[in-house]
Each structure stands twice: as C-alpha cells, then as structure tokens.
Amino acid sequence: MIVGVLNQKGGVGKTTIAVNLAAGLVARGARVLLVDADPQGSALAWSSARERDPLFPVVGMAKPTLHRDLPSLAAAYDAVVIDGAPRANELARAAILASETVLIPVQPSPYDIWAARETVELIREAQIYKETLTGAFVINRKIANTAIGRDVAGALEPFEMPVLDAALCQRVVYAESAAQGLSVAEAAPASEAAREIAALVEEIASRHARRDAA
C-alpha cells in the first residue's frame, strides 16, 4: 500500500496526517516507510525532533523521479506513506504517480476547497496513465458543532471524489505531539485525537483491502 498525502495549498496538515497515518499503520503491525517528498522537509524535521526510538524510517525523496525510484525501496515494506510537495509541479506529479491512493487534506475553509481543484486535476491527469490510482478527501482541523464544519463535505461534492468518513478536529495535541517528534497516539493515547487517527487508519486500511479483493 502506497498512500500519498498532497494538497497544493500549504498549511492544510499534510505532514500531521502523514506522520500519524504511518504511526497508526505501525500500530497495526505493518512495516512502514515514511517518504518526505516536500522540499520543506517537515517530516524529516519531525523525525529529528524525536528522542524516542523511531517508529519507522523517514527518508527524503523530494525529486521528480520519485515514481521511478520508489518501487525498489518500497518492496521491503508493507506500507509507504508519502508526505507530498505543495504546488502543482513536477514533485507533486511524481508523488501522485508513485501512489496507489492520494489523500487530499482539506480544512473547512472556502480557500482550501477552492485550492483542492488543482490537486484533483493532477490526480485525474495521472489516472490517464495509472488507471488504478484513487483519491479521497480528508477533512482536517474540523471545528465541531459549526455550520462550516458540517457543510464542508457537501461543498466537496462537485469534485466527484470520495470524502472519508473519518475526520480530524482542531486539537492542540496534534501540534504539541509534533513538536516532540511523537504521534498523537504516543503523546496522548486516550485522547479524542488518537481515536480520530485510529478511525482514519482503519478506514484507509479497509478501503485498501476492498481494492485488493476486487
């Protein structure tokens, strides 16, 4: 399973989702590789801040040949998570082509919803060459019990791409755990954030299993 996490708009929580998704897959017993394909190197910075033993290796591969270079490296792992680059450029295209599924984090904001169009277009373009490629939206930093929090899924319907049921809410623990190089499950295992991540991992794993069985 190779999951790319991409959005052409910065600050949507790509690295937060990528890191915690990788940690959640490890908790399920998978051998996981996290690929930092963003020139900003946020996932590598997260790994450097960590004082505990690593949960999984993190490698930097911010290069336009990622889709050609990754398969040989990925063969040693059960799952690969790619923290992709922002902006519609060669790096983003390479990360999408390297993926089996692309997750698009979207905050409940009109700006995020408008910006999602570029990522969706890149996925549609890549599907011409890779018919098995799939994509899905992940709602991030949702503010519970607000109209915009409830309406974001409806606002994404015109893109004709699934919106995952599992959503991540606006919670301080996501930033606090990241500053320590930890996943939320390590920093606060009984928290709502940890339960949100577990639900996200379960949904992605289930989707992948159904895809393999098809």
Side-chain angles (χ1 to χ4, degrees):
M1 174 168 60
I2 303 178
V3 180
V5 185
L6 292 105
N7 191 316
Q8 304 314 304
K9 183 177 180 296
V12 296
K14 289 189 302 83
T15 304
T16 295
I17 290 174
V19 162
N20 283 286
L21 173 59
L25 290 168
V26 168
R28 293 170 63 94
R31 295 168 298 167
V32 179
L33 173 68
L34 177 58
V35 175
D36 192 335
D38 185 343
Q40 294 180 353
S42 297
L44 287 168
W46 172 86
S47 180
S48 297
R50 185 179 180 85
E51 295 182 355
R52 301 186 189 182
D53 291 340
L55 288 174
F56 44 77
V58 182
V59 298
M61 296 184 73
K63 50 186 180 178
T65 57
L66 173 63
H67 57 299
R68 295 196 295 269
D69 299 339
L70 185 59
S72 60
L73 187 61
Y77 298 91
D78 302 311
V80 177
V81 179
I82 303 171
D83 184 13
R87 295 178 297 280
N89 57 22
E90 289 185 345
L91 297 180
R93 287 184 172 87
I96 289 171
L97 285 170
S99 303
E100 295 172 350
T101 295
V102 176
L103 302 181
I104 308 172
V106 177
Q107 298 177 112
S109 156
Y111 302 107
D112 282 47
I113 293 167
W114 297 332
R117 183 176 303 278
E118 288 184 85
T119 308
V120 171
E121 289 174 354
L122 286 179
I123 294 172
R124 300 294 188 216
E125 177 186 294
Q127 286 172 330
I128 296 172
Y129 308 98
K130 191 173 183 178
E131 295 180 0
T132 57
L133 176 67
T134 60
F137 289 108
V138 181
I139 299 173
N140 188 36
R141 296 181 184 139
K142 180 179 179 181
I143 302 173
N145 302 318
T146 63
I148 195 167
R150 292 189 299 270
D151 296 345
V152 62
L156 292 168
E157 285 181 3
F159 292 109
E160 298 181 343
M161 188 165 286
V163 179
L164 297 187
D165 293 328
L168 309 185
C169 292
Q170 178 82 307
R171 303 187 191 280
V172 174
V173 68
Y174 285 112
E176 291 179 339
S177 59
Q180 302 172 65
L182 299 175
S183 67
V184 292
E186 293 175 291
S191 66
E192 288 295 327
R195 283 188 279 274
E196 290 170 357
I197 292 296
L200 176 63
V201 173
E202 175 61 31
E203 186 170 359
I204 292 169
S206 295
R207 288 169 61 91
H208 182 76
R210 290 195 298 270
R211 169 180 164 152
D212 283 353

